[in-house]
Amino acid sequence: MRYLPIGELADKARVRASALRYWEERGLLPGARREGGRRVWPAPTVRRVALIKMAQRAGFTLADITQLLAGDTTPSATRQWREMATRKLPELDRHIAQAQALRQAVANCLECGCMNFDQCVLLETTKASP
């Protein structure tokens, strides 16, 4: 099996080496092997890092991700993951709707073309919003 030094894993996974060390400390990554005093991980660890990053982007906490990656494949663990994911979907849907509304607002401003932000009619409805 091929092993990746921490710098190479960080480059391939597009994360900082410090994040890898932190995730290892928290138990999100398996303990690294040492070669010449340097941390090395099996090449498939890149996939695990990708899963951690995806889960973080989706809004899962490190505690949630730790649970997910605990390696427990029992029906209760699978059920627990399904429940966590089911609860997360409405939150993701809200984020998507907000992003789409922002995109439409920017597109409307471009279409208007007035570029007078103090007097633009399109911005009247958004001034009162936080």
Side-chain angles (χ1 to χ4, degrees):
M1 173 172 287
R2 183 167 185 271
Y3 284 81
L4 303 175
I6 191 167
E8 187 177 347
L9 177 59
D11 287 345
K12 285 185 180 295
R14 298 179 185 222
V15 297
R16 293 177 184 226
S18 59
L20 297 173
R21 287 189 291 273
Y22 180 69
W23 292 343
E24 178 189 21
E25 182 183 307
R26 295 274 318 246
L28 292 160
L29 293 179
R33 208 171 92 173
R34 300 286 179 158
E35 286 182 3
R38 295 180 5 187
R39 287 177 167 96
V40 294
W41 280 277
T45 305
V46 172
R47 290 184 59 81
R48 188 174 183 107
V49 172
L51 175 61
I52 293 167
K53 288 173 52 180
M54 182 275 306
Q56 283 186 311
R57 284 192 313 271
F60 287 99
T61 66
L62 288 181
D64 293 337
I65 299 167
T66 301
Q67 267 185 305
L68 166 66
L69 297 175
D72 187 357
T73 58
T74 63
S76 71
T78 301
R79 186 172 42 259
Q80 186 175 24
W81 165 244
R82 286 183 176 278
E83 290 169 3
M84 288 168 54
T86 300
R87 284 193 308 270
K88 185 58 69 178
L89 287 178
E91 182 182 326
L92 291 171
D93 288 339
R94 282 191 300 279
H95 286 300
I96 291 167
Q98 289 170 348
Q100 288 173 332
L102 287 171
R103 187 204 181 285
Q104 188 60 53
V106 170
N108 290 346
C109 280
L110 283 174
E111 193 173 302
C112 169
C114 76
M115 300 309 289
N116 186 339
F117 300 123
D118 291 332
Q119 298 175 9
C120 182
V121 176
L122 293 175
L123 298 176
E124 288 298 319
T125 59
T126 59
K127 284 184 182 177
S129 299

